[in-house]
Amino acid sequence: QVQLVESGGGLVQAGGSLRLSCAASRTISSINAMAWYRQAPGHQRDLVAIIRSGGSTNYADSVKGRFTISRDNAKSTVYLQMNSLKPEDTAVYYCYISPGYWGQGTQVTVSS
């Protein structure tokens, strides 16, 4: 019934920035956490960033200082601001909301 719609992906040069958005098609009540994952071809899906109900955040070591996760609980929306992008950031990015909802993925490609 609920779908997560992602936007903001695309092609960017190394050193550039992108902002990903993930919005629920219907309001989700009692959200405990929101997160972003990514997966490159031939690799496992890894956690990139998470924000919990109390506002605390955690980031993968590879993106600390470059990526920022934020939320709008009233709109059941989560964002990922990505700065100083590197070719190694190239992947399909998936959002997740704790009741068990996944986005369908958006491609991010960073060229050198």
Side-chain angles (χ1 to χ4, degrees):
Q1 182 175 183
V2 175
Q3 290 187 321
L4 305 185
V5 181
E6 301 182 26
S7 63
L11 176 64
V12 65
Q13 289 184 311
S17 298
L18 286 173
R19 190 192 193 206
L20 304 183
S21 298
C22 173
S25 61
R26 299 288 296 273
T27 300
I28 301 172
S29 61
S30 301
I31 294 175
N32 195 54
M34 301 180 182
W36 288 93
Y37 291 75
R38 68 185 181 186
Q39 185 171 22
H43 296 264
Q44 66 183 10
R45 186 175 298 185
D46 293 326
L47 179 67
V48 176
I50 185 169
I51 183 166
R52 298 181 174 84
S53 60
S56 64
T57 58
N58 291 98
Y59 297 90
D61 288 341
S62 60
V63 307
K64 285 182 179 178
R66 300 188 298 120
F67 290 11
T68 303
I69 187 171
S70 61
R71 67 186 180 188
D72 184 341
N73 285 339
K75 296 182 178 181
S76 297
T77 300
V78 61
Y79 306 93
L80 186 68
Q81 178 67 45
M82 305 185 293
N83 298 326
S84 301
L85 283 162
K86 305 174 180 180
E88 65 198 67
D89 296 318
T90 295
V92 177
Y93 284 70
Y94 300 88
C95 60
Y96 175 80
I97 297 180
S98 59
Y101 302 108
W102 285 94
Q104 66 185 53
T106 185
Q107 177 71 44
V108 171
T109 302
V110 184
S111 66
S112 60

